[in-house]
């Protein structure tokens, strides 16, 4: 019974770890390969977080290296709407292959996503090791 419970836990944790690792990889790519440019806030979209609390997500317009204009928004919003207003400019990074994926410098915290991904990977290895020892 304990092995079954641990197996279910490992499967659930693998799904969560996969999600965190995917976000970590996206953040790593934006930091390492992202093209730096200036973006301008078009408008601020209101949404809610997982707890139902309001969050505000800026929709940014910027020009790519080939001159085309793009609209994008960061992965996360902020609970403070006073940080953002239309017309405001920010330094951003966008990935050439995924121009809709941006990171706003001094607004987003991609380093935290990378750290969470690494912690998830360590916990996944630990959980797999424990499960392997219990099943032997």
């Amino acid at each position: 019974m304990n092995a079954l419970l641990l197996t279910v836990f490992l499967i659930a944790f693998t799904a969560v770890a996969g999600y965190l690792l995917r976000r970590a990889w996206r953040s790593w790519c934006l930091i390492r390969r992202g093209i730096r440019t200036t973006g301008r806030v078009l408008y601020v979209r209101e949404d809610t977080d997982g707890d139902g609390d309001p969050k505000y997500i800026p929709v940014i317009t910027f020009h790519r290296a080939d001159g085309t204009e793009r609209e994008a928004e960061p992965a996360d919003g902020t609970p403070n709407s006073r940080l953002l207003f239309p017309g405001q400019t920010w330094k951003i990074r966008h990935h050439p292959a995924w121009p809709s994926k941006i990171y706003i410098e001094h607004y987003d915290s991609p380093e935290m996503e990378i750290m969470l991904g690494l912690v998830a990977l360590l916990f996944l290895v630990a959980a797999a090791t424990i499960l392997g020892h219990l099943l032997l």
Side-chain angles (χ1 to χ4, degrees):
M1 183 64 174
N2 286 340
L4 178 63
L5 205 58
L6 279 172
T7 303
V8 169
F9 171 76
L10 184 61
I11 290 170
F13 189 77
T14 300
V16 172
Y19 170 77
L20 292 173
L21 287 170
R22 183 172 181 264
R23 286 187 64 130
W25 178 252
R26 176 181 168 256
S27 294
W28 176 257
C29 288
L30 281 171
I31 288 172
R32 298 291 295 163
R33 299 185 189 118
I35 297 171
R36 181 180 270 152
T37 188
T38 301
R40 184 176 47 82
V41 177
L42 284 178
Y43 59 93
V44 179
R45 184 172 64 82
E46 187 174 348
D47 202 352
T48 57
D49 64 11
D51 296 330
D53 297 324
K55 71 176 180 177
Y56 303 92
I57 303 167
V59 177
I60 306 284
T61 183
F62 64 95
H63 288 89
R64 296 178 59 189
D66 64 3
T68 59
E69 188 174 26
R70 279 301 290 225
E71 284 184 23
E73 55 187 48
D76 293 316
T78 178
N80 188 350
S81 65
R82 292 174 293 190
L83 294 175
L84 309 163
F85 52 89
Q88 183 178 25
T89 59
W90 290 88
K91 294 289 184 192
I92 68 164
R93 287 183 184 258
H94 71 91
H95 195 284
W98 312 308
S100 63
K101 311 280 190 221
I102 65 169
Y103 133 67
I104 302 172
E105 294 180 6
H106 309 294
Y107 171 81
D108 289 326
S109 57
E111 295 85 5
M112 182 60 78
E113 288 185 352
I114 293 169
M115 290 300 293
L116 283 174
L118 292 175
V119 168
L121 182 62
L122 288 174
F123 276 123
L124 185 61
V125 169
T129 302
I130 292 169
L131 182 63
H133 285 291
L134 289 175
L135 292 177
L136 291 179

